[in-house]
Amino acid sequence: MHTTTSQSLYHEALDVIVGGVNSPSRSFRAVGGDYPIFMKSAKGAYFWDEDDNQYIDYLAAFGPIILGHAHPVITKAIQDVTEQGILYGTPTEKEVRFAQMIRNAIPSMEQIRFVNSGTEAVMTTIRLARAYTGRDKIIKFAGCYHGHSDLVLVAAGSGPSTLGIPDSAGIPASIAGEVITVPFNDPEALSLALDHWSDQVAGILVEPLVGNFGIVPPQPEFLQQVNQLAHQAGALVIYDEVITAFRFHFGGVQTMYQVEPDLTALGKIIGGGLPIGAYGGKKKIMEKVAPMGPMYQAGTMAGNPLSISAGMACLTELSQEGTYDQLASMGEQLESEIWNAAKKYNHTIQLNRQSGALTVYFCDQPVTDYDGAQKSDSKKFGQFFHLMLQEGIYLAPSKYEAWFLTTAHSQEDINKTIEAIYKSFKNLPHS
Ligand code: PMP
């Protein structure tokens, strides 16, 4: 496979775009690659790069592309908007209808505000929790990435740890000092932290099913314990469902497990591939937001007709009968073949899967928290990643990311992927 055009574009990019990429997770540094692949076009489950190589895509743009690329319903929704004007700076009916659609699927979001990214959504839920409780501190879970706002880049994992940078430079110690980090799935650690700082904690920020050090589900009762401990301490529970909402079923992880947070942040899938974020929660809390209350948040592009229409088209498609069963059944097939292939060629792996999203770890203990995920062998993952790439399978270039199935993947794609998995494990060095 020749990728020389990507190589030369990368050299040009390095000159003009810092690091050659517009988001560090797109770089191939974490997987030992000299240059990332530059894609030229995409349709359904496929990508084509600048040298016309075809790949089956399991990146799904880090999550949003759950219907595959250039889905006709989303394309049509976008085209319709372009003829009606793309940005008004006024309220529109579509925003109301979309908010209603989301609230029907995730009832704890009694009131909603649209923003432009997951980062903005999470950042604002934190401000709101602080405004509502009059407290400053936030508890988060080690390794969970919640966007790139100052407060949550403390022990963030995902992007930063992929690069081997523990956190980020440029964050004042005074801000980092407001963040308490505890291990995921560890109610005792959470309880101890709350005992110590109880009357200072505004909120507990949690990915109810982690998507950022791979797919890591909560252990039974963990989410209930988070709620109970938070509320005893007078703190709010904030769910970051930027990755998880509408990923596993038509709703959030909260509706899947029937646990209600006070506030929720959304992004990714709800934009159908266009930039979006949303936050929402209990009405009595949301009423603190301007113009109703004293907590300010605004956005020129917020609720823009393109993102709202693409998002509505995406959720309408996802709500069709059988969609999530299809994703889960493809996920199940991949899971069982990955285990078989690893066993056949004597490689020790762990695999976590929820429906159509899975992560393969190269380690010998089940992964239930960030410490466990970190033990996954980076070198082995990098080798596996490149072997799969050579077979035309595009995985996320990080051991901490998931393989995302989309409704565009066909049985033929799955069969080809399974062939590539066997070949890659066969050729994967043992040490
Ligand atoms: N929260 C989570 C759980 C995420 O995975 C991400 C992005 N990967 C974000 C927040 C930030 O979203 P965005 O990149 O849209 O700002």
Side-chain angles (χ1 to χ4, degrees):
M1 182 186 285
H2 294 290
T3 52
T4 46
T5 311
S6 287
Q7 187 172 23
S8 65
L9 279 171
Y10 183 56
H11 286 296
E12 281 193 68
L14 279 175
D15 182 45
V16 71
I17 296 173
V18 62
V21 288
N22 280 309
S23 190
S25 44
R26 295 177 200 170
S27 143
F28 275 19
R29 284 186 172 210
V31 288
D34 293 334
Y35 53 91
I37 305 297
F38 282 58
M39 295 301 171
K40 184 163 64 178
S41 65
K43 175 86 188 147
Y46 309 113
F47 271 148
W48 288 271
D49 72 11
E50 291 285 349
D51 292 284
D52 294 323
N53 299 302
Q54 179 178 309
Y55 305 83
I56 303 177
D57 175 19
Y58 288 95
L59 179 70
F62 291 91
I65 304 296
I66 192 166
L67 300 177
H69 297 279
H71 190 282
V73 170
I74 294 184
T75 303
K76 166 98 177 37
I78 293 172
Q79 280 166 346
D80 289 349
V81 174
T82 58
E83 282 160 21
Q84 294 156 9
I86 55 172
L87 190 64
Y88 306 151
T90 71
T92 62
E93 180 183 348
K94 282 197 183 100
E95 293 164 276
V96 183
R97 301 289 165 243
F98 196 34
Q100 287 167 337
M101 194 175 195
I102 290 175
R103 185 175 65 183
N104 283 340
I106 306 179
S108 80
M109 298 181 78
E110 291 170 6
Q111 292 206 311
I112 293 172
R113 173 69 60 83
F114 291 109
V115 291
N116 300 304
S117 66
T119 295
E120 272 186 65
V122 174
M123 180 179 85
T124 314
T125 57
I126 293 171
R127 185 180 302 146
L128 184 50
R130 289 168 148 181
Y132 185 77
T133 59
R135 301 166 171 193
D136 287 343
K137 290 206 182 329
I138 292 291
I139 297 184
K140 74 180 282 291
F141 293 92
C144 288
Y145 178 71
H146 297 288
H148 62 89
S149 69
D150 279 0
L151 201 78
V152 291
L153 270 184
V154 175
S158 190
S161 56
T162 299
L163 288 175
I165 302 164
D167 298 308
S168 167
I171 294 177
S174 58
I175 289 185
E178 300 296 354
V179 186
I180 302 149
T181 303
V182 296
F184 188 67
N185 271 331
D186 187 342
E188 282 80 36
L190 179 59
S191 177
L192 282 177
L194 280 168
D195 282 348
H196 197 263
W197 284 286
S198 127
D199 57 348
Q200 298 173 52
V201 176
I204 299 179
L205 177 61
V206 54
E207 271 186 286
L209 189 155
V210 175
N212 270 301
F213 43 84
I215 296 294
V216 179
Q219 296 196 329
E221 300 304 310
F222 179 64
L223 295 176
Q224 285 82 353
Q225 286 162 328
V226 170
N227 266 18
Q228 202 187 347
L229 290 167
H231 292 154
Q232 265 168 15
L236 300 185
V237 175
I238 306 168
Y239 275 9
D240 178 349
E241 294 229 40
V242 168
I243 287 192
T244 54
F246 301 99
R247 161 90 37 221
F248 312 117
H249 82 135
F250 197 77
V253 164
Q254 58 189 273
T255 43
M256 198 163 80
Y257 291 132
Q258 298 178 340
V259 195
E260 282 208 342
D262 300 294
L263 291 170
T264 299
L266 306 178
K268 302 212 184 217
I269 287 175
I270 65 155
L274 290 186
I276 204 165
Y279 67 94
K282 300 277 183 293
K283 190 161 180 271
K284 65 174 194 250
I285 305 171
M286 290 300 285
E287 278 172 348
K288 295 279 176 209
V289 179
M292 300 295 288
M295 193 219 77
Y296 195 71
Q297 175 272 315
T300 303
M301 303 292 171
N304 74 79
L306 279 172
S307 298
I308 296 287
S309 301
M312 273 180 99
C314 179
L315 293 200
T316 305
E317 251 338 86
L318 283 173
S319 68
Q320 308 297 315
E321 183 87 29
T323 305
Y324 289 98
D325 293 342
Q326 182 201 343
L327 291 170
S329 115
M330 290 189 294
E332 213 174 306
Q333 273 191 66
L334 283 183
E335 170 173 1
S336 88
E337 296 293 350
I338 292 169
W339 281 117
N340 288 342
K343 198 165 164 211
K344 177 164 182 191
Y345 296 108
N346 267 322
H347 292 286
T348 304
I349 60 159
Q350 301 297 318
L351 191 153
N352 288 357
R353 178 178 70 85
Q354 182 77 40
S355 182
L358 62 88
T359 306
V360 180
Y361 302 95
F362 292 87
C363 56
D364 58 8
Q365 293 299 316
V367 174
T368 59
D369 63 12
Y370 186 46
D371 269 3
Q374 279 184 304
K375 294 196 178 98
S376 180
D377 187 327
S378 303
K379 187 171 159 213
K380 254 197 165 175
F381 174 81
Q383 289 166 334
F384 183 76
F385 169 86
H386 286 290
L387 287 165
M388 290 290 277
L389 195 67
Q390 282 303 310
E391 295 302 312
I393 310 294
Y394 197 100
L395 305 176
S398 157
K399 69 175 186 177
Y400 294 111
E401 299 284 348
W403 304 30
F404 288 126
L405 280 150
T406 74
T407 57
H409 286 94
S410 66
Q411 188 56 50
E412 202 191 328
D413 299 327
I414 300 296
N415 295 345
K416 270 196 205 155
T417 307
I418 291 169
E419 251 177 64
I421 289 167
Y422 275 86
K423 207 164 158 193
S424 298
F425 274 116
K426 183 173 178 206
N427 293 325
L428 186 64
H430 273 93
S431 177

